Amino acid sequence: MASLFTTSILSASLLIVLIGSFFIEPINAGGFNIVKEQREFDYFKLSLQWPGTVCRNTRHCCASNGCCRGSNSPTEFTIHGLWPDYNDGTWPACCTKSGFDVKEISTLKDALEKYWPSYSCSKASTCSGKKGLFWAHEWEKHGTCSSPVVKDEYSYFITTLNVYFKFNVTEVLYEAGYVPSNSEKYPMGGIISAIQNAFHATPEITCSQGAVEELRLCFYKDFKPRDCAIGLGSSHHNGLSSSKSSCPKYVSLPERVSLAKPTELHGLTGVYFMICSVDYGCYTRPFNKISSVFVWKNHVFSLS
């Protein structure tokens, strides 16, 4: 799929224009915290999500939830968003009234479904105060603030995909020996060093319950890597802002939990219990016939 997006990131539409730009009139941001006068951003932050961590908290499955695709669920870092940020740790948001139009990215939809999935069944907030697709949220809140580098919706999404493919974090970590595991713990400093050696810049990493949840790469406006900015009043600690660090010294990269799509329960009615495993597939039984301990694929499972 990556071969479909070999167009140079530095296309004519992405030439940098070094001018002062201010967004004076904020719009109804649907609860977003935006600055009254939004000057031009300082740098880009590409935020990536680790599905093995995010999907651990999945409680509901639906067609739009990337965690619920069974064997087709993501197994590598996926895109959360490309965010224009300020060096002081703040960011612009909802900079224009340019609403999201899914038809503008129709030719990118397959790639976006695979590499930029939503991990929720709930609709996302948009700058107009309405609810919409996850992509609508990212474009309206962040993409509209990417001018003068990125000026329209299509350019925002194709640019983000190009940067994601060029700076392949999953591949870098795999080559360094940091692979998905539900038992291994990896040194946080080692993960950061692997990224630094590959891209010559320090990333930002957030964790949830000791597992890597998001990894963020930062770029100058010409998409050359740079260290991620640290907010004022904080200090470096293992490549993180010490005031915001959520990662221990040793972290995990959990293997994904394969959850079945609702449509995989063809012909079943009533309330059913389902447990899925990457190795063994899915075990489904009527809920009223499930005991606290059961045998499946010659393995004993306990629900306690």
Side-chain angles (χ1 to χ4, degrees):
M1 181 65 70
S3 62
L4 297 178
F5 302 98
T6 55
T7 304
S8 172
I9 296 172
L10 299 179
S11 63
S13 63
L14 300 181
L15 290 176
I16 308 302
V17 181
L18 296 177
I19 61 174
S21 178
F22 291 83
F23 303 97
I24 304 298
E25 302 224 356
I27 62 174
N28 178 356
F32 295 144
N33 183 20
I34 63 175
V35 183
K36 213 169 195 182
E37 289 189 4
Q38 300 187 87
R39 68 185 187 278
E40 185 179 320
F41 69 99
D42 294 321
Y43 70 100
F44 280 114
K45 181 180 291 182
L46 177 67
S47 187
L48 307 174
Q49 300 183 97
W50 182 251
T53 303
V54 177
C55 292
R56 290 192 308 187
N57 299 320
T58 298
R59 296 293 178 267
H60 304 285
C61 269
C62 59
S64 64
N65 191 330
C67 297
C68 304
R69 297 175 183 172
S71 60
N72 292 322
S73 294
T75 58
E76 58 190 334
F77 278 102
T78 60
I79 301 167
H80 185 166
L82 181 66
W83 304 337
D85 277 13
Y86 296 132
N87 287 326
D88 63 5
T90 63
W91 56 88
C94 303
C95 293
T96 74
K97 295 183 180 181
S98 178
F100 176 77
D101 183 355
V102 72
K103 294 191 292 294
E104 292 292 322
I105 55 170
S106 58
T107 58
L108 304 177
K109 192 171 181 181
D110 287 347
L112 294 174
E113 289 282 2
K114 183 173 182 179
Y115 301 112
W116 199 332
S118 169
Y119 292 122
S120 173
C121 290
S122 301
K123 290 187 176 181
S125 298
T126 64
C127 293
S128 64
K130 299 177 181 178
K131 297 290 186 178
L133 296 174
F134 177 45
W135 304 324
H137 168 89
E138 291 301 313
W139 161 247
E140 293 187 16
K141 182 178 180 181
H142 302 290
T144 60
C145 299
S146 300
S147 178
V149 181
V150 178
K151 296 183 178 179
D152 59 67
E153 181 183 320
Y154 179 84
S155 296
Y156 174 71
F157 286 98
I158 189 66
T159 297
T160 305
L161 286 168
N162 276 328
V163 175
Y164 169 77
F165 292 135
K166 182 175 181 179
F167 298 92
N168 192 324
V169 169
T170 306
E171 185 177 275
V172 167
L173 294 185
Y174 280 17
E175 289 179 352
Y178 302 117
V179 298
S181 172
N182 289 328
S183 58
E184 291 292 327
K185 294 282 188 179
Y186 300 118
M188 186 68 178
I191 291 176
I192 291 173
S193 293
I195 300 298
Q196 289 173 327
N197 292 336
F199 305 139
H200 308 292
T202 301
E204 178 181 290
I205 302 177
T206 66
C207 296
S208 174
Q209 298 178 344
V212 172
E213 184 171 40
E214 297 212 6
L215 190 151
R216 297 161 184 161
L217 301 177
C218 297
F219 302 90
Y220 294 105
K221 294 179 185 180
D222 60 358
F223 292 101
K224 291 180 180 178
R226 54 158 278 177
D227 291 344
C228 287
I230 302 298
L232 297 177
S234 61
S235 59
H236 274 95
H237 176 67
N238 289 336
L240 298 171
S241 165
S242 62
S243 63
K244 298 180 181 179
S245 176
S246 56
C247 298
K249 289 184 178 180
Y250 288 84
V251 297
S252 63
L253 285 169
E255 294 180 272
R256 68 172 174 82
V257 176
S258 180
L259 302 172
K261 302 176 185 177
T263 53
E264 291 180 359
L265 300 177
H266 294 301
L268 301 182
T269 58
V271 180
Y272 279 76
F273 166 84
M274 173 180 285
I275 182 171
C276 294
S277 162
V278 174
D279 298 318
Y280 304 122
C282 291
Y283 172 93
T284 307
R285 291 277 290 171
F287 192 81
N288 60 0
K289 294 185 179 180
I290 286 291
S291 58
S292 60
V293 178
F294 60 96
V295 178
W296 176 38
K297 301 286 187 179
N298 296 320
H299 288 73
V300 178
F301 293 83
S302 172
L303 301 182
S304 60

